Amino acid sequence: MDVNYVNPFINATLAWVKNMVGVEAKALSPQLKKQPFPHYDISGIIGLSGGAAGSISLGFPMASAVALVSKMIQAPIHEGDADLIDAIGEIANIIAGFAKRDLSSLNLSISLPNVILSNHILAGLSGAPTIIVPFSCPLGEFFMEVSLKTN
């Protein structure tokens, strides 16, 4: 996978945390996904199609998801709240939309977001590498997974 396809998602994620949550985040070293695969408590996933196919996923430990969403909406939120689930899907949608602008040459279409709860592993597009980018911020850590194969 070309790093030029991953950087717009990293930049979009950093912009979301800064502009909508109000804290600074740091992207740590991207790495190729390999075993043992990371487990997440809640994830937002957006499918991508067009000049490339795959997905962008944001995986969170529950404490990080609750802290980030509570700060973003400026109201307390709790594990299992419907608003938490909606917010995680919307965050994935926002990041995919921001990144899509910088990937206009791929003519990408983005799907509606899906949210997965409970202890889970994410699987990327078959035959495409998945890049994991860990993020750290004062409200906790979270992870982005980009699995993209150009057509």
Side-chain angles (χ1 to χ4, degrees), residues 93-139:
N93 195 37
I94 289 166
I95 290 170
F98 282 169
K100 180 181 171 184
R101 293 183 310 199
D102 293 333
L103 295 168
S104 59
S105 65
L106 293 177
N107 194 28
L108 290 176
S109 294
I110 58 176
S111 71
L112 294 174
N114 287 302
V115 177
I116 300 172
L117 291 168
S118 190
N119 187 16
H120 61 275
I121 296 170
L122 297 172
L125 181 66
S126 179
T130 298
I131 303 297
I132 298 176
V133 182
F135 288 86
S136 176
C137 76
L139 299 173

Side-chain angles (χ1 to χ4, degrees), residues 6-8 10 14 31 33 35 51 62 88 100 115 119-120 131:
V6 178
N7 286 337
I10 293 172
L14 293 171
Q31 53 197 302
K33 186 174 182 176
Q35 292 186 347
M62 189 57 70
I88 295 298
K100 180 181 171 184
V115 177
N119 187 16
H120 61 275
I131 303 297

Side-chain angles (χ1 to χ4, degrees), residues 39-52:
H39 290 250
Y40 306 110
D41 294 325
I42 186 167
S43 294
I45 304 166
I46 294 280
L48 304 168
S49 61

